[in-house]
Amino acid sequence: MRPGLATAAVSLASACTLLLSACAAPDADRGFTPGGGVKPAAAADSGSPGRQPGAETVTAAPGLTIEIEWPDEPDPKRSAVIKAFAEDFTAQWRAVGTSGGDRSYAKGIDAESSAYMDAVTWVQGFLKDEQSARGVARLYALRVPAVTGRGAEADGCVDLTGVRLTDQEGTPLARQPAWLKRPRAVFLQTAGLGHGDDGVWRIRLYRHADYPDERAKECLR
């Protein structure tokens, strides 16, 4: 399994559509660019700057880091959606790397959504098998193809080829699962998010596209 994915494989669908049409149609000028690139967004009167574009390395747990490539997104709403998406991804790996000691990932997910149970099931699977992880997980080509009112969709490419499963002491397992090897370790993850009354964007739904899906191919580098 991979962070935030349901226990059964699912085909990629519009997260916004599954959120009862909470989002508008994807913007024509924000198309997905092959190779993990992101087309520059048009300048917007955002009122406040978004997160600075560029690479950031976040320590999720001892020996486990997340490399995030932040896009140049001047729109504050889209920037907030991307931030929520990336922080949840990081927090789920933090839960794995701390053997369940850190449960901050639950704060970024709607507790009444399918995404919440997906995340809990994924983390608990590691704990049940007394496993953890070390290495580097990469998140890039982050974008928000649709956002309207209180609903949004976020996409991101994921590369888990630098991650290795370990026991809870940090010793790599002799046999690594296929989902940490190419081509399955590189995929497109999509999330549907909702904007709560408290002003926080939280994830409500996950979908993903695996190779050889065309959108997953665009994540290859």
Side-chain angles (χ1 to χ4, degrees):
M1 288 301 298
R2 285 157 286 182
L5 301 186
T7 53
V10 293
S11 60
L12 183 68
S14 170
C16 290
T17 299
L18 293 171
L19 279 173
L20 302 179
S21 301
C23 303
D27 295 341
D29 63 345
R30 293 175 181 265
F32 197 71
T33 304
V38 179
K39 290 184 177 179
D45 183 12
S46 62
S48 62
R51 180 180 289 271
Q52 291 298 311
E56 179 185 13
T57 299
V58 180
T59 299
L64 179 60
T65 59
I66 311 298
E67 290 186 0
I68 304 171
E69 293 184 14
W70 297 104
D72 184 6
E73 178 51 79
D75 180 79
K77 183 176 288 188
R78 281 185 163 83
S79 181
V81 170
I82 289 172
K83 183 174 182 287
F85 179 83
E87 287 185 346
D88 174 70
F89 179 88
T90 302
Q92 289 193 46
W93 278 110
R94 186 177 294 118
V96 172
T98 60
S99 299
D102 190 305
R103 286 186 48 82
S104 60
Y105 71 93
K107 298 178 181 179
I109 308 174
D110 187 329
E112 298 181 358
S113 69
S114 63
Y116 185 84
M117 289 308 303
D118 289 344
V120 170
T121 299
W122 188 77
V123 172
Q124 290 298 321
F126 282 89
L127 302 184
K128 179 181 178 181
D129 295 336
E130 298 184 343
Q131 294 178 352
S132 186
R134 297 292 186 272
V136 181
R138 295 179 173 85
L139 185 63
Y140 54 97
L142 289 162
R143 60 187 290 269
V144 179
V147 57
T148 295
R150 298 169 73 91
E153 177 182 343
D155 294 346
C157 288
V158 177
D159 184 343
L160 301 181
T161 56
V163 176
R164 293 293 177 268
L165 292 194
T166 71
D167 61 23
Q168 292 188 330
E169 284 68 48
T171 302
L173 304 182
R175 302 189 67 175
Q176 296 290 318
W179 58 267
L180 290 180
K181 303 174 183 178
R182 287 182 180 272
R184 291 183 61 191
V186 180
F187 57 96
L188 177 75
Q189 184 155 315
T190 293
L193 298 90
H195 196 240
D197 292 336
D198 58 359
V200 177
W201 286 99
R202 291 185 178 87
I203 294 177
R204 294 178 175 173
L205 178 75
Y206 291 107
R207 286 291 185 267
H208 74 283
D210 281 323
Y211 187 90
D213 185 284
E214 289 302 317
R215 298 192 73 191
K217 287 181 180 179
E218 292 171 343
C219 290
L220 298 176
R221 289 179 161 178

